[in-house]
Structure formats: C-alpha cells, structure tokens
Amino acid sequence: MVCRAEIFVDGLNLQHMLQCISRQNITLYGVRRVDRLNAVIVVDYRNVSKVVDLLEKKCYNVQKIRYIGMSSVWETVKRHIAFVVAMVLLIPLLALLSGVCFDIHVEGADRQVVLDALGNYGVSVGRSLVGISYDKLENYLTNTVGASFVTVSRRGSTLFVEVVPKNQADDPIDLDSPCDIVATRSGVVSRIVLVQGVAMVNVGDFVKEGQVLIKGERVFNDGTSQPVRAVGQVFATVECSYTEPFDGYIREYVRTGNVYRTTQVVLGKFTSSVNVPFEQFDVEQTTETLYPFGFTLIHSVYFEKVYQVKAADIDDCLEYLKVKALEGAEKNCDFAYNEVNYRVLDDGVTAILSGQLEIARSTDDRG
C-alpha cells in the first residue's frame, strides 16, 4: 500500500538540499523541479517529519505537504482524532441501545393522550421495543383513544404513531326553525345552490357582509308565504390585499459572503448545541438519519447578513416590493387564492389575492 508524501520546497541551491537528504539515508522516490527556486520531492511517510526538520535547519521553506495513499487517510484521522475516538466508543453503545425507544412521534391525536395510553401498555421513552407486537399495540390504541384506526411503526429507535380519528356526524338540522342565510363577508356572487327559500341575489352581484342571500320563506301560488329555514349554499369571489409602503428607500438584509458550517447530533430529545458567530443570518440545512442507531446528523450552513438602507427608485425595487406585498397578503388570507394582481403607486405596491369561498351562514348559527 502506497504511503508517501510530496513536499513542496523552495530555496537556493536545490542540488545541495537533495545531497543533504541523501546523506541521511532517506530514499527519494521522486524529484520534480518546478523552477530555479522551487521543487517537489517525494519521500516515505515515515520520513516526513525528519525531512521537514532537516529542510528548516538548512533554511529552506516548506510550502506545503500533500500526502499520498494511506498516509492521506492517516493524517485525516489524526486531525479529527477526537471525533474518531468518540465514534469508536459511540457506535458499540448505539448498537446496544438500538432496541431502546428514544423518541415517539404522534400524528392525528393529542400527543399526551397517546403517550399515556402507550405508557399503560408498557411503551415509553427509555424502554425496550424488542418483542413488541405492533398489531396488538395498534388494536389496543384504537380502542383506548377511540380512533377509527391506528398505525404504529418503528424506524431505528423512534416510534411513529398515526391516529385516524372517527368521523363525527354533523348536528341534525331543524328544518322547522325559520331563519335566513346571510353573507359572512363581502364579495361577488359566483354560484348559488338553492334548496329551500328565496334567493335574494344573483350571480355577478356584489354583496356585503351581513346581507341576506337566501330568505327563509316559502311562497305559494296564491301569493301567500310561510316562514321556513333557508337551506342552500352561496359562493363568491373574495379578495384579500396588503400594501407594502415605499418611501424612496429600500431596507433589506444582504449576505456578506461570510459562511459558517456546523454539524449537530440529534439523539432522542438531545440535540448538540451550536454557537453561530453571526447576529443575522440565513441557514440552509440537510439532515441525515443513521439507522439502526437512531441518531440524526443536521448539517447546517449559515450565511451572515447585514441590514442595509439605501435610496432607490420604485422601479429599482419593484420585484422586492411585490414579494413583500404578497407575503403580507398571504398572512392575512384565510382562503385558497387562485389569482394575484398588483397595484403599483408612487407610495407602495399592493398585492390583491382573489379566490372562491362559500360565504353563506344561517342567522341562527352562532359559530
């Protein structure tokens, strides 16, 4: 196995340098002259420190050392010896603990309720998962938490519990209780589904919040009427907007080019700490879960940012203002929008979100 190193050296009288090395009974596996003052010599890995000491005593400059073959691996191990030792000690320990539950993920139900049920069954963080019948555990949880069904799976030392709740029937509607249907918000009517009552608006009408959409009334052929419960649906095109102001300056965080990289270890509820040397930063993360040992590595790259204020024309920062306006509008929006329009004025940009929403509510509905 090749175990050598290239030493990049510079100085006067390179021939004399090579003679000095040879007198020490050190084998030179290669010599490459770069120019009059620079050369690259190849020696055995075991002789590197001896050659470097000799060169420094003779006043030659060692620019860098590049290790070849297994010597490169060994140097990497020496530079990260603490990590290597920790992993050598940790891996056997993790192998022993791979059957122990370090974390429980719950979806679809109150976490504490599920944890209490698991605890009564004998499953909790810190206990062994070996020998558990997941079919029996699923049946037990389904009956205990009153679910439609429960699925339990294990990845490494983490237990995943997904609860699918039972469907609850809607409260029965009292059709004998007269009431109207009114608008819950303003918008332009786009569709009407009339089951019972009299429609008071048409498709295309603009309606305001609280306006009667379907009147709870049944009209007979002789012109008489009877109060009934209005039943139906009314859909409308609704809008939500937000204006990002502009005063002739743009304020933003910009990246400085400084980067800080870290790797964190997550084991159960323990997460190794990290101290980021930046006050403001963006972060990009990737995760890597190592099975069956049950721990996760989080690789993070932090990009330093600084706050800047500078004069600008609205055209220079129009895209930025549109992004901020859209972000503000989305925070205020409580429906699924399908169209975005922008209104640009000298003092700001407004993002207008449009979408379809059912706006009907019975007058006796206290919700």
Side-chain angles (χ1 to χ4, degrees):
M1 183 68 69
V2 176
C3 198
R4 298 171 185 171
E6 289 183 338
I7 301 176
F8 295 74
V9 61
D10 70 78
L12 299 173
N13 199 351
L14 295 176
Q15 187 63 36
H16 174 70
M17 173 197 69
L18 297 175
Q19 292 174 355
C20 291
I21 294 175
S22 297
R23 292 194 194 102
Q24 300 296 320
N25 295 321
I26 297 174
T27 302
L28 295 174
Y29 291 95
V31 178
R32 184 174 77 255
R33 184 183 292 273
V34 179
D35 53 36
R36 187 174 63 85
L37 299 177
N38 294 272
V40 180
I41 60 176
V42 182
V43 299
D44 191 85
Y45 174 71
R46 294 170 298 178
N47 293 323
V48 170
S49 58
K50 187 176 181 180
V51 172
V52 170
D53 289 341
L54 178 63
L55 292 174
E56 290 178 347
K57 288 179 181 179
K58 296 295 183 180
C59 298
Y60 290 94
N61 298 318
V62 176
Q63 298 173 341
K64 67 176 181 178
I65 301 173
R66 188 174 73 86
Y67 296 95
I68 304 171
M70 286 301 299
S71 62
S72 175
V73 176
W74 177 239
E75 285 297 314
T76 301
V77 170
K78 288 200 300 182
R79 286 197 301 269
H80 302 87
I81 188 64
F83 178 77
V84 173
V85 171
M87 291 303 297
V88 170
L89 297 176
L90 185 62
I91 288 177
L93 176 62
L94 292 174
L96 293 175
L97 297 177
S98 60
V100 176
C101 178
F102 284 115
D103 197 10
I104 299 175
H105 286 256
V106 178
E107 293 184 7
D110 183 89
R111 174 179 170 79
Q112 193 56 50
V113 171
V114 175
L115 291 181
D116 291 343
L118 287 171
N120 294 332
Y121 193 82
V123 176
S124 62
V125 173
R127 294 190 181 183
S128 175
L129 298 174
V130 177
I132 291 179
S133 170
Y134 292 102
D135 289 338
K136 292 181 179 179
L137 179 57
E138 289 173 348
N139 292 333
Y140 165 78
L141 289 175
T142 298
N143 295 326
T144 302
V145 302
S148 177
F149 64 89
V150 177
T151 60
V152 180
S153 61
R154 171 189 167 192
R155 277 186 287 170
S157 296
T158 302
L159 197 68
F160 294 85
V161 180
E162 183 177 357
V163 180
V164 178
K166 291 182 178 179
N167 294 326
Q168 295 183 349
D170 295 333
D171 294 332
I173 297 176
D174 183 6
L175 295 178
D176 295 328
S177 175
C179 66
D180 299 329
I181 289 179
V182 298
T184 59
R185 64 197 301 163
S186 300
V188 178
V189 176
S190 59
R191 184 161 63 97
I192 301 173
V193 179
L194 181 62
V195 178
Q196 180 170 269
V198 179
M200 305 301 292
V201 296
N202 298 307
V203 172
D205 290 349
F206 176 80
V207 297
K208 296 181 179 180
E209 181 179 353
Q211 181 176 338
V212 176
L213 304 175
I214 302 177
K215 185 174 180 59
E217 185 179 61
R218 178 182 293 117
V219 179
F220 299 100
N221 293 334
D222 60 1
T224 60
S225 62
Q226 175 189 358
V228 296
R229 180 183 185 88
V231 180
Q233 294 176 291
V234 179
F235 298 85
T237 301
V238 296
E239 293 184 346
C240 178
S241 64
Y242 176 82
T243 300
E244 179 68 18
F246 178 70
D247 61 357
Y249 294 88
I250 185 170
R251 299 164 178 83
E252 61 181 341
Y253 283 94
V254 296
R255 293 185 181 183
T256 64
N258 296 328
V259 177
Y260 181 71
R261 292 179 169 84
T262 64
T263 297
Q264 294 173 272
V265 178
V266 180
L267 182 59
K269 295 184 178 180
F270 167 78
T271 302
S272 60
S273 60
V274 57
N275 294 318
V276 182
F278 309 138
E279 291 186 5
Q280 299 290 339
F281 53 81
D282 291 327
V283 61
E284 296 177 0
Q285 293 182 325
T286 57
T287 59
E288 176 185 7
T289 302
L290 303 182
Y291 295 111
F293 305 118
F295 67 92
T296 300
L297 300 180
I298 302 177
H299 305 288
S300 304
V301 182
Y302 298 89
F303 301 89
E304 184 184 31
K305 299 192 302 182
V306 294
Y307 187 66
Q308 287 187 352
V309 180
K310 58 182 180 180
D313 294 330
I314 193 168
D315 291 336
D316 297 332
C317 51
L318 184 57
E319 292 305 315
Y320 169 80
L321 293 173
K322 284 184 176 181
V323 170
K324 300 302 290 184
L326 179 58
E327 290 177 354
E330 288 178 332
K331 289 181 181 179
N332 299 328
C333 187
D334 60 352
F335 58 87
Y337 67 89
N338 52 28
E339 185 178 356
V340 181
N341 292 296
Y342 295 96
R343 183 169 62 246
V344 181
L345 300 175
D346 292 338
D347 59 350
V349 174
T350 301
I352 305 170
L353 309 183
S354 302
Q356 299 296 310
L357 185 68
E358 183 177 359
I359 62 169
R361 177 181 65 84
S362 296
T363 52
D364 66 348
D365 183 0
R366 299 295 184 265

